[in-house]
PDB file of all heavy atoms in Angstrom:
ATOM      1  N   ASN A 728      76.696  47.672 -61.735  1.00  0.00           N
ATOM      2  CA  ASN A 728      77.166  47.353 -60.321  1.00  0.00           C
ATOM      3  C   ASN A 728      76.056  47.826 -59.348  1.00  0.00           C
ATOM      4  O   ASN A 728      75.149  48.515 -59.788  1.00  0.00           O
ATOM      5  CB  ASN A 728      78.447  48.082 -60.061  1.00  0.00           C
ATOM      6  CG  ASN A 728      78.294  49.609 -60.021  1.00  0.00           C
ATOM      7  OD1 ASN A 728      77.745  50.193 -59.095  1.00  0.00           O
ATOM      8  ND2 ASN A 728      78.676  50.243 -61.074  1.00  0.00           N
ATOM      9  N   GLN A 730      75.856  49.478 -55.322  1.00  0.00           N
ATOM     10  CA  GLN A 730      76.556  49.935 -54.159  1.00  0.00           C
ATOM     11  C   GLN A 730      75.559  50.073 -53.001  1.00  0.00           C
ATOM     12  O   GLN A 730      74.397  50.272 -53.146  1.00  0.00           O
ATOM     13  CB  GLN A 730      77.177  51.334 -54.421  1.00  0.00           C
ATOM     14  CG  GLN A 730      78.223  51.269 -55.563  1.00  0.00           C
ATOM     15  CD  GLN A 730      78.819  52.692 -55.838  1.00  0.00           C
ATOM     16  OE1 GLN A 730      78.495  53.688 -55.140  1.00  0.00           O
ATOM     17  NE2 GLN A 730      79.741  52.715 -56.814  1.00  0.00           N
ATOM     18  N   TYR A 732      74.974  51.812 -49.075  1.00  0.00           N
ATOM     19  CA  TYR A 732      75.452  52.957 -48.163  1.00  0.00           C
ATOM     20  C   TYR A 732      74.664  52.795 -46.891  1.00  0.00           C
ATOM     21  O   TYR A 732      73.460  52.374 -46.871  1.00  0.00           O
ATOM     22  CB  TYR A 732      75.208  54.310 -48.794  1.00  0.00           C
ATOM     23  CG  TYR A 732      76.018  54.580 -50.031  1.00  0.00           C
ATOM     24  CD1 TYR A 732      75.704  54.065 -51.298  1.00  0.00           C
ATOM     25  CD2 TYR A 732      77.139  55.399 -49.958  1.00  0.00           C
ATOM     26  CE1 TYR A 732      76.458  54.377 -52.346  1.00  0.00           C
ATOM     27  CE2 TYR A 732      77.943  55.697 -51.024  1.00  0.00           C
ATOM     28  CZ  TYR A 732      77.543  55.099 -52.229  1.00  0.00           C
ATOM     29  OH  TYR A 732      78.346  55.382 -53.306  1.00  0.00           O
ATOM     30  N   GLN A 734      73.417  55.409 -43.718  1.00  0.00           N
ATOM     31  CA  GLN A 734      73.239  56.761 -43.228  1.00  0.00           C
ATOM     32  C   GLN A 734      72.659  56.790 -41.823  1.00  0.00           C
ATOM     33  O   GLN A 734      71.571  56.399 -41.621  1.00  0.00           O
ATOM     34  CB  GLN A 734      72.370  57.634 -44.117  1.00  0.00           C
ATOM     35  CG  GLN A 734      72.383  59.138 -43.757  1.00  0.00           C
ATOM     36  CD  GLN A 734      71.623  59.916 -44.831  1.00  0.00           C
ATOM     37  OE1 GLN A 734      70.687  59.435 -45.451  1.00  0.00           O
ATOM     38  NE2 GLN A 734      71.946  61.246 -44.919  1.00  0.00           N
ATOM     39  N   HIS A 739      75.781  61.662 -42.786  1.00  0.00           N
ATOM     40  CA  HIS A 739      75.894  61.593 -44.269  1.00  0.00           C
ATOM     41  C   HIS A 739      76.035  60.077 -44.661  1.00  0.00           C
ATOM     42  O   HIS A 739      76.378  59.280 -43.875  1.00  0.00           O
ATOM     43  CB  HIS A 739      77.097  62.396 -44.716  1.00  0.00           C
ATOM     44  CG  HIS A 739      78.422  61.957 -44.121  1.00  0.00           C
ATOM     45  ND1 HIS A 739      78.867  62.406 -42.878  1.00  0.00           N
ATOM     46  CD2 HIS A 739      79.285  61.130 -44.577  1.00  0.00           C
ATOM     47  CE1 HIS A 739      79.992  61.765 -42.619  1.00  0.00           C
ATOM     48  NE2 HIS A 739      80.362  61.045 -43.582  1.00  0.00           N
ATOM     49  N   PRO A 740      75.742  59.914 -45.883  1.00  0.00           N
ATOM     50  CA  PRO A 740      75.858  58.443 -46.407  1.00  0.00           C
ATOM     51  C   PRO A 740      77.290  58.002 -46.320  1.00  0.00           C
ATOM     52  O   PRO A 740      78.260  58.766 -46.646  1.00  0.00           O
ATOM     53  CB  PRO A 740      75.410  58.548 -47.896  1.00  0.00           C
ATOM     54  CG  PRO A 740      74.587  59.752 -47.924  1.00  0.00           C
ATOM     55  CD  PRO A 740      75.150  60.803 -46.959  1.00  0.00           C
ATOM     56  N   PHE A 742      79.756  54.863 -47.604  1.00  0.00           N
ATOM     57  CA  PHE A 742      79.877  53.654 -48.535  1.00  0.00           C
ATOM     58  C   PHE A 742      80.157  52.411 -47.716  1.00  0.00           C
ATOM     59  O   PHE A 742      81.066  52.446 -46.854  1.00  0.00           O
ATOM     60  CB  PHE A 742      81.016  54.005 -49.491  1.00  0.00           C
ATOM     61  CG  PHE A 742      81.349  52.868 -50.416  1.00  0.00           C
ATOM     62  CD1 PHE A 742      80.747  52.816 -51.631  1.00  0.00           C
ATOM     63  CD2 PHE A 742      82.320  51.930 -50.169  1.00  0.00           C
ATOM     64  CE1 PHE A 742      81.039  51.748 -52.584  1.00  0.00           C
ATOM     65  CE2 PHE A 742      82.639  50.926 -51.006  1.00  0.00           C
ATOM     66  CZ  PHE A 742      82.001  50.838 -52.260  1.00  0.00           C
ATOM     67  N   GLN A 745      80.683  47.573 -52.795  1.00  0.00           N
ATOM     68  CA  GLN A 745      80.223  47.575 -54.192  1.00  0.00           C
ATOM     69  C   GLN A 745      80.230  46.135 -54.688  1.00  0.00           C
ATOM     70  O   GLN A 745      81.212  45.412 -54.430  1.00  0.00           O
ATOM     71  CB  GLN A 745      81.142  48.420 -55.020  1.00  0.00           C
ATOM     72  CG  GLN A 745      80.781  48.463 -56.504  1.00  0.00           C
ATOM     73  CD  GLN A 745      81.467  49.471 -57.377  1.00  0.00           C
ATOM     74  OE1 GLN A 745      80.966  50.569 -57.495  1.00  0.00           O
ATOM     75  NE2 GLN A 745      82.579  49.101 -57.872  1.00  0.00           N
ATOM     76  N   PHE A 785      70.861  52.461 -47.930  1.00  0.00           N
ATOM     77  CA  PHE A 785      70.507  52.748 -49.309  1.00  0.00           C
ATOM     78  C   PHE A 785      71.306  51.844 -50.238  1.00  0.00           C
ATOM     79  O   PHE A 785      72.465  51.561 -50.093  1.00  0.00           O
ATOM     80  CB  PHE A 785      70.863  54.160 -49.666  1.00  0.00           C
ATOM     81  CG  PHE A 785      70.163  55.281 -48.948  1.00  0.00           C
ATOM     82  CD1 PHE A 785      70.624  55.828 -47.885  1.00  0.00           C
ATOM     83  CD2 PHE A 785      68.920  55.672 -49.444  1.00  0.00           C
ATOM     84  CE1 PHE A 785      69.986  56.815 -47.182  1.00  0.00           C
ATOM     85  CE2 PHE A 785      68.291  56.714 -48.795  1.00  0.00           C
ATOM     86  CZ  PHE A 785      68.776  57.281 -47.703  1.00  0.00           C
ATOM     87  N   ARG A 790      76.415  53.989 -63.013  1.00  0.00           N
ATOM     88  CA  ARG A 790      76.816  53.807 -64.398  1.00  0.00           C
ATOM     89  C   ARG A 790      77.757  54.908 -64.771  1.00  0.00           C
ATOM     90  O   ARG A 790      77.337  56.061 -64.826  1.00  0.00           O
ATOM     91  CB  ARG A 790      75.602  53.829 -65.373  1.00  0.00           C
ATOM     92  CG  ARG A 790      75.939  53.598 -66.763  1.00  0.00           C
ATOM     93  CD  ARG A 790      74.615  53.454 -67.593  1.00  0.00           C
ATOM     94  NE  ARG A 790      73.914  52.294 -67.263  1.00  0.00           N
ATOM     95  CZ  ARG A 790      72.630  52.054 -67.587  1.00  0.00           C
ATOM     96  NH1 ARG A 790      71.990  53.001 -68.265  1.00  0.00           N
ATOM     97  NH2 ARG A 790      72.040  50.963 -67.210  1.00  0.00           N
ATOM     98  N   ARG A 791      78.992  54.568 -64.974  1.00  0.00           N
ATOM     99  CA  ARG A 791      80.063  55.520 -65.273  1.00  0.00           C
ATOM    100  C   ARG A 791      80.146  56.582 -64.221  1.00  0.00           C
ATOM    101  O   ARG A 791      80.615  56.299 -63.093  1.00  0.00           O
ATOM    102  CB  ARG A 791      79.880  56.158 -66.637  1.00  0.00           C
ATOM    103  CG  ARG A 791      80.252  55.194 -67.821  1.00  0.00           C
ATOM    104  CD  ARG A 791      80.310  55.817 -69.148  1.00  0.00           C
ATOM    105  NE  ARG A 791      81.246  56.938 -69.097  1.00  0.00           N
ATOM    106  CZ  ARG A 791      82.596  56.807 -69.236  1.00  0.00           C
ATOM    107  NH1 ARG A 791      83.101  55.631 -69.395  1.00  0.00           N
ATOM    108  NH2 ARG A 791      83.327  57.873 -69.274  1.00  0.00           N
ATOM    109  N   ASP A 792      79.570  57.739 -64.447  1.00  0.00           N
ATOM    110  CA  ASP A 792      79.713  58.801 -63.527  1.00  0.00           C
ATOM    111  C   ASP A 792      78.431  59.374 -63.072  1.00  0.00           C
ATOM    112  O   ASP A 792      78.277  60.578 -62.686  1.00  0.00           O
ATOM    113  CB  ASP A 792      80.469  59.956 -64.183  1.00  0.00           C
ATOM    114  CG  ASP A 792      81.408  60.619 -63.262  1.00  0.00           C
ATOM    115  OD1 ASP A 792      81.655  60.019 -62.171  1.00  0.00           O
ATOM    116  OD2 ASP A 792      81.950  61.714 -63.561  1.00  0.00           O
ATOM    117  N   LYS A 793      77.350  58.479 -62.981  1.00  0.00           N
ATOM    118  CA  LYS A 793      76.038  58.875 -62.524  1.00  0.00           C
ATOM    119  C   LYS A 793      75.518  57.765 -61.593  1.00  0.00           C
ATOM    120  O   LYS A 793      75.815  56.587 -61.873  1.00  0.00           O
ATOM    121  CB  LYS A 793      75.061  59.098 -63.697  1.00  0.00           C
ATOM    122  CG  LYS A 793      73.778  59.679 -63.306  1.00  0.00           C
ATOM    123  CD  LYS A 793      72.949  59.992 -64.570  1.00  0.00           C
ATOM    124  CE  LYS A 793      71.711  60.700 -64.236  1.00  0.00           C
ATOM    125  NZ  LYS A 793      70.880  61.094 -65.389  1.00  0.00           N
ATOM    126  N   ILE A 794      74.795  58.058 -60.615  1.00  0.00           N
ATOM    127  CA  ILE A 794      74.400  57.094 -59.706  1.00  0.00           C
ATOM    128  C   ILE A 794      72.881  57.363 -59.290  1.00  0.00           C
ATOM    129  O   ILE A 794      72.526  58.510 -59.143  1.00  0.00           O
ATOM    130  CB  ILE A 794      75.259  57.044 -58.490  1.00  0.00           C
ATOM    131  CG1 ILE A 794      74.976  55.898 -57.494  1.00  0.00           C
ATOM    132  CG2 ILE A 794      75.234  58.371 -57.670  1.00  0.00           C
ATOM    133  CD1 ILE A 794      76.072  55.643 -56.503  1.00  0.00           C
ATOM    134  N   PHE A 796      70.098  56.355 -56.435  1.00  0.00           N
ATOM    135  CA  PHE A 796      69.854  55.724 -55.141  1.00  0.00           C
ATOM    136  C   PHE A 796      68.381  55.223 -55.017  1.00  0.00           C
ATOM    137  O   PHE A 796      67.510  55.792 -55.572  1.00  0.00           O
ATOM    138  CB  PHE A 796      70.095  56.770 -54.031  1.00  0.00           C
ATOM    139  CG  PHE A 796      71.482  57.012 -53.659  1.00  0.00           C
ATOM    140  CD1 PHE A 796      72.294  57.873 -54.484  1.00  0.00           C
ATOM    141  CD2 PHE A 796      72.032  56.488 -52.540  1.00  0.00           C
ATOM    142  CE1 PHE A 796      73.640  58.043 -54.144  1.00  0.00           C
ATOM    143  CE2 PHE A 796      73.417  56.655 -52.209  1.00  0.00           C
ATOM    144  CZ  PHE A 796      74.198  57.470 -53.073  1.00  0.00           C
ATOM    145  N   GLY A 797      68.272  54.133 -54.244  1.00  0.00           N
ATOM    146  CA  GLY A 797      67.019  53.733 -53.844  1.00  0.00           C
ATOM    147  C   GLY A 797      66.462  54.641 -52.791  1.00  0.00           C
ATOM    148  O   GLY A 797      67.238  55.455 -52.247  1.00  0.00           O
ATOM    149  N   LYS A 798      65.236  54.438 -52.351  1.00  0.00           N
ATOM    150  CA  LYS A 798      64.624  55.290 -51.287  1.00  0.00           C
ATOM    151  C   LYS A 798      65.133  54.893 -49.881  1.00  0.00           C
ATOM    152  O   LYS A 798      64.905  55.682 -48.952  1.00  0.00           O
ATOM    153  CB  LYS A 798      63.140  55.257 -51.292  1.00  0.00           C
ATOM    154  CG  LYS A 798      62.523  55.922 -52.545  1.00  0.00           C
ATOM    155  CD  LYS A 798      61.028  56.035 -52.471  1.00  0.00           C
ATOM    156  CE  LYS A 798      60.496  56.801 -53.633  1.00  0.00           C
ATOM    157  NZ  LYS A 798      59.007  56.953 -53.556  1.00  0.00           N
TER     158      LYS A 798
ATOM    159  N   TYR B 378      81.080  65.327 -56.901  1.00  0.00           N
ATOM    160  CA  TYR B 378      79.599  65.171 -57.064  1.00  0.00           C
ATOM    161  C   TYR B 378      78.907  66.044 -56.031  1.00  0.00           C
ATOM    162  O   TYR B 378      79.380  66.381 -54.988  1.00  0.00           O
ATOM    163  CB  TYR B 378      79.284  63.719 -56.797  1.00  0.00           C
ATOM    164  CG  TYR B 378      80.047  62.777 -57.622  1.00  0.00           C
ATOM    165  CD1 TYR B 378      81.300  62.227 -57.067  1.00  0.00           C
ATOM    166  CD2 TYR B 378      79.701  62.298 -58.846  1.00  0.00           C
ATOM    167  CE1 TYR B 378      82.066  61.325 -57.861  1.00  0.00           C
ATOM    168  CE2 TYR B 378      80.486  61.473 -59.618  1.00  0.00           C
ATOM    169  CZ  TYR B 378      81.624  60.913 -59.103  1.00  0.00           C
ATOM    170  OH  TYR B 378      82.412  60.097 -59.832  1.00  0.00           O
ATOM    171  N   TYR B 380      74.906  66.112 -54.307  1.00  0.00           N
ATOM    172  CA  TYR B 380      73.687  65.456 -54.120  1.00  0.00           C
ATOM    173  C   TYR B 380      72.784  66.286 -53.326  1.00  0.00           C
ATOM    174  O   TYR B 380      73.248  67.151 -52.509  1.00  0.00           O
ATOM    175  CB  TYR B 380      73.919  64.098 -53.375  1.00  0.00           C
ATOM    176  CG  TYR B 380      74.781  63.120 -54.107  1.00  0.00           C
ATOM    177  CD1 TYR B 380      76.192  63.117 -54.050  1.00  0.00           C
ATOM    178  CD2 TYR B 380      74.125  62.162 -54.920  1.00  0.00           C
ATOM    179  CE1 TYR B 380      76.938  62.161 -54.664  1.00  0.00           C
ATOM    180  CE2 TYR B 380      74.878  61.185 -55.601  1.00  0.00           C
ATOM    181  CZ  TYR B 380      76.313  61.236 -55.531  1.00  0.00           C
ATOM    182  OH  TYR B 380      77.090  60.341 -56.204  1.00  0.00           O
ATOM    183  N   GLN B 382      69.351  65.955 -50.589  1.00  0.00           N
ATOM    184  CA  GLN B 382      68.477  65.033 -49.831  1.00  0.00           C
ATOM    185  C   GLN B 382      67.477  65.897 -49.148  1.00  0.00           C
ATOM    186  O   GLN B 382      67.850  66.604 -48.134  1.00  0.00           O
ATOM    187  CB  GLN B 382      69.316  64.170 -48.912  1.00  0.00           C
ATOM    188  CG  GLN B 382      68.426  63.140 -48.182  1.00  0.00           C
ATOM    189  CD  GLN B 382      69.234  62.280 -47.297  1.00  0.00           C
ATOM    190  OE1 GLN B 382      70.205  62.690 -46.661  1.00  0.00           O
ATOM    191  NE2 GLN B 382      68.878  60.943 -47.204  1.00  0.00           N
ATOM    192  N   LYS B 387      65.152  60.228 -50.140  1.00  0.00           N
ATOM    193  CA  LYS B 387      66.388  59.559 -50.621  1.00  0.00           C
ATOM    194  C   LYS B 387      67.403  60.618 -51.063  1.00  0.00           C
ATOM    195  O   LYS B 387      67.122  61.764 -51.237  1.00  0.00           O
ATOM    196  CB  LYS B 387      66.025  58.622 -51.801  1.00  0.00           C
ATOM    197  CG  LYS B 387      65.528  59.300 -53.097  1.00  0.00           C
ATOM    198  CD  LYS B 387      65.329  58.299 -54.186  1.00  0.00           C
ATOM    199  CE  LYS B 387      64.892  59.037 -55.467  1.00  0.00           C
ATOM    200  NZ  LYS B 387      64.760  58.018 -56.581  1.00  0.00           N
ATOM    201  N   VAL B 388      68.599  60.050 -51.300  1.00  0.00           N
ATOM    202  CA  VAL B 388      69.661  60.874 -51.823  1.00  0.00           C
ATOM    203  C   VAL B 388      69.537  61.001 -53.374  1.00  0.00           C
ATOM    204  O   VAL B 388      69.367  60.027 -54.050  1.00  0.00           O
ATOM    205  CB  VAL B 388      71.019  60.244 -51.430  1.00  0.00           C
ATOM    206  CG1 VAL B 388      72.203  61.012 -52.050  1.00  0.00           C
ATOM    207  CG2 VAL B 388      71.116  60.067 -49.928  1.00  0.00           C
ATOM    208  N   PHE B 390      71.046  62.337 -56.943  1.00  0.00           N
ATOM    209  CA  PHE B 390      72.181  62.824 -57.708  1.00  0.00           C
ATOM    210  C   PHE B 390      71.902  64.105 -58.396  1.00  0.00           C
ATOM    211  O   PHE B 390      70.793  64.257 -59.088  1.00  0.00           O
ATOM    212  CB  PHE B 390      72.552  61.697 -58.720  1.00  0.00           C
ATOM    213  CG  PHE B 390      73.600  62.124 -59.675  1.00  0.00           C
ATOM    214  CD1 PHE B 390      74.948  61.986 -59.417  1.00  0.00           C
ATOM    215  CD2 PHE B 390      73.235  62.635 -60.973  1.00  0.00           C
ATOM    216  CE1 PHE B 390      75.929  62.320 -60.395  1.00  0.00           C
ATOM    217  CE2 PHE B 390      74.174  62.908 -61.923  1.00  0.00           C
ATOM    218  CZ  PHE B 390      75.500  62.814 -61.533  1.00  0.00           C
ATOM    219  N   SER B 393      77.928  65.390 -61.733  1.00  0.00           N
ATOM    220  CA  SER B 393      79.259  64.917 -61.525  1.00  0.00           C
ATOM    221  C   SER B 393      80.186  65.886 -62.356  1.00  0.00           C
ATOM    222  O   SER B 393      79.770  66.456 -63.371  1.00  0.00           O
ATOM    223  CB  SER B 393      79.435  63.514 -61.988  1.00  0.00           C
ATOM    224  OG  SER B 393      79.011  63.348 -63.299  1.00  0.00           O
ATOM    225  N   SER B 400      80.384  66.145 -66.165  1.00  0.00           N
ATOM    226  CA  SER B 400      80.366  64.924 -66.965  1.00  0.00           C
ATOM    227  C   SER B 400      78.958  64.297 -66.972  1.00  0.00           C
ATOM    228  O   SER B 400      78.549  63.737 -67.993  1.00  0.00           O
ATOM    229  CB  SER B 400      81.367  63.885 -66.374  1.00  0.00           C
ATOM    230  OG  SER B 400      81.272  63.825 -64.998  1.00  0.00           O
ATOM    231  N   GLU B 401      78.147  64.431 -65.936  1.00  0.00           N
ATOM    232  CA  GLU B 401      76.764  63.979 -65.935  1.00  0.00           C
ATOM    233  C   GLU B 401      75.947  64.927 -65.155  1.00  0.00           C
ATOM    234  O   GLU B 401      76.477  65.505 -64.138  1.00  0.00           O
ATOM    235  CB  GLU B 401      76.620  62.557 -65.330  1.00  0.00           C
ATOM    236  CG  GLU B 401      77.383  61.493 -66.080  1.00  0.00           C
ATOM    237  CD  GLU B 401      76.461  60.828 -67.125  1.00  0.00           C
ATOM    238  OE1 GLU B 401      75.346  61.384 -67.351  1.00  0.00           O
ATOM    239  OE2 GLU B 401      76.946  59.895 -67.802  1.00  0.00           O
ATOM    240  N   LYS B 402      74.678  65.073 -65.466  1.00  0.00           N
ATOM    241  CA  LYS B 402      73.804  65.850 -64.571  1.00  0.00           C
ATOM    242  C   LYS B 402      72.397  65.284 -64.627  1.00  0.00           C
ATOM    243  O   LYS B 402      72.083  64.504 -65.608  1.00  0.00           O
ATOM    244  CB  LYS B 402      73.744  67.304 -64.962  1.00  0.00           C
ATOM    245  CG  LYS B 402      73.299  67.584 -66.399  1.00  0.00           C
ATOM    246  CD  LYS B 402      73.359  69.120 -66.662  1.00  0.00           C
ATOM    247  CE  LYS B 402      72.837  69.373 -68.013  1.00  0.00           C
ATOM    248  NZ  LYS B 402      72.897  70.848 -68.364  1.00  0.00           N
ATOM    249  N   PHE B 436      74.812  67.454 -50.174  1.00  0.00           N
ATOM    250  CA  PHE B 436      76.048  66.702 -49.894  1.00  0.00           C
ATOM    251  C   PHE B 436      77.086  66.744 -51.122  1.00  0.00           C
ATOM    252  O   PHE B 436      76.632  66.594 -52.232  1.00  0.00           O
ATOM    253  CB  PHE B 436      75.768  65.198 -49.646  1.00  0.00           C
ATOM    254  CG  PHE B 436      75.044  64.900 -48.400  1.00  0.00           C
ATOM    255  CD1 PHE B 436      73.708  64.529 -48.415  1.00  0.00           C
ATOM    256  CD2 PHE B 436      75.702  65.033 -47.157  1.00  0.00           C
ATOM    257  CE1 PHE B 436      73.045  64.266 -47.283  1.00  0.00           C
ATOM    258  CE2 PHE B 436      75.026  64.687 -45.967  1.00  0.00           C
ATOM    259  CZ  PHE B 436      73.700  64.374 -46.001  1.00  0.00           C
ATOM    260  N   LEU B 444      82.407  56.313 -60.763  1.00  0.00           N
ATOM    261  CA  LEU B 444      81.558  55.690 -59.717  1.00  0.00           C
ATOM    262  C   LEU B 444      81.373  54.228 -60.019  1.00  0.00           C
ATOM    263  O   LEU B 444      81.117  53.464 -59.046  1.00  0.00           O
ATOM    264  CB  LEU B 444      80.210  56.406 -59.623  1.00  0.00           C
ATOM    265  CG  LEU B 444      80.208  57.723 -58.984  1.00  0.00           C
ATOM    266  CD1 LEU B 444      78.821  58.340 -58.982  1.00  0.00           C
ATOM    267  CD2 LEU B 444      80.759  57.727 -57.584  1.00  0.00           C
ATOM    268  N   SER B 445      81.405  53.817 -61.300  1.00  0.00           N
ATOM    269  CA  SER B 445      81.180  52.426 -61.605  1.00  0.00           C
ATOM    270  C   SER B 445      82.263  51.602 -60.957  1.00  0.00           C
ATOM    271  O   SER B 445      82.065  50.341 -60.779  1.00  0.00           O
ATOM    272  CB  SER B 445      81.368  52.188 -63.106  1.00  0.00           C
ATOM    273  OG  SER B 445      80.422  52.932 -63.825  1.00  0.00           O
ATOM    274  N   GLU B 448      84.770  53.789 -54.782  1.00  0.00           N
ATOM    275  CA  GLU B 448      84.087  54.240 -53.624  1.00  0.00           C
ATOM    276  C   GLU B 448      84.001  55.736 -53.658  1.00  0.00           C
ATOM    277  O   GLU B 448      85.038  56.459 -54.089  1.00  0.00           O
ATOM    278  CB  GLU B 448      84.836  53.810 -52.440  1.00  0.00           C
ATOM    279  CG  GLU B 448      84.336  54.281 -51.107  1.00  0.00           C
ATOM    280  CD  GLU B 448      85.054  53.783 -49.887  1.00  0.00           C
ATOM    281  OE1 GLU B 448      85.963  52.947 -50.113  1.00  0.00           O
ATOM    282  OE2 GLU B 448      84.735  54.105 -48.758  1.00  0.00           O
ATOM    283  N   GLN B 449      82.924  56.350 -53.290  1.00  0.00           N
ATOM    284  CA  GLN B 449      82.905  57.809 -53.072  1.00  0.00           C
ATOM    285  C   GLN B 449      82.740  58.119 -51.575  1.00  0.00           C
ATOM    286  O   GLN B 449      82.128  57.364 -50.813  1.00  0.00           O
ATOM    287  CB  GLN B 449      81.780  58.420 -53.881  1.00  0.00           C
ATOM    288  CG  GLN B 449      80.358  57.973 -53.480  1.00  0.00           C
ATOM    289  CD  GLN B 449      79.291  58.676 -54.330  1.00  0.00           C
ATOM    290  OE1 GLN B 449      79.388  59.810 -54.752  1.00  0.00           O
ATOM    291  NE2 GLN B 449      78.174  57.908 -54.626  1.00  0.00           N
ATOM    292  N   PHE B 451      81.535  60.948 -48.841  1.00  0.00           N
ATOM    293  CA  PHE B 451      80.589  62.072 -48.696  1.00  0.00           C
ATOM    294  C   PHE B 451      81.174  63.056 -47.653  1.00  0.00           C
ATOM    295  O   PHE B 451      81.689  62.656 -46.665  1.00  0.00           O
ATOM    296  CB  PHE B 451      79.257  61.616 -48.285  1.00  0.00           C
ATOM    297  CG  PHE B 451      78.384  61.099 -49.389  1.00  0.00           C
ATOM    298  CD1 PHE B 451      78.614  59.819 -49.893  1.00  0.00           C
ATOM    299  CD2 PHE B 451      77.336  61.781 -49.947  1.00  0.00           C
ATOM    300  CE1 PHE B 451      77.861  59.345 -50.999  1.00  0.00           C
ATOM    301  CE2 PHE B 451      76.586  61.339 -50.995  1.00  0.00           C
ATOM    302  CZ  PHE B 451      76.821  60.065 -51.472  1.00  0.00           C
ATOM    303  N   GLY B 452      80.838  64.370 -47.868  1.00  0.00           N
ATOM    304  CA  GLY B 452      81.053  65.356 -46.792  1.00  0.00           C
ATOM    305  C   GLY B 452      79.945  65.291 -45.824  1.00  0.00           C
ATOM    306  O   GLY B 452      78.869  64.616 -46.056  1.00  0.00           O
TER     307      GLY B 452
END
Side-chain angles (χ1 to χ4, degrees):
Chain A
N728 66 75
Q730 299 179 1
Y732 294 79
Q734 186 176 26
H739 58 275
F742 176 91
Q745 177 168 271
F785 293 97
R790 180 173 295 163
R791 286 191 57 80
D792 219 17
K793 188 171 183 178
I794 189 167
F796 280 79
K798 289 188 175 181
Chain B
Y378 308 90
Y380 296 88
Q382 186 177 36
K387 69 175 182 178
V388 178
F390 171 86
S393 56
S400 44
E401 295 273 4
K402 60 182 181 178
F436 292 108
L444 288 179
S445 299
E448 174 179 356
Q449 62 179 324
F451 280 77

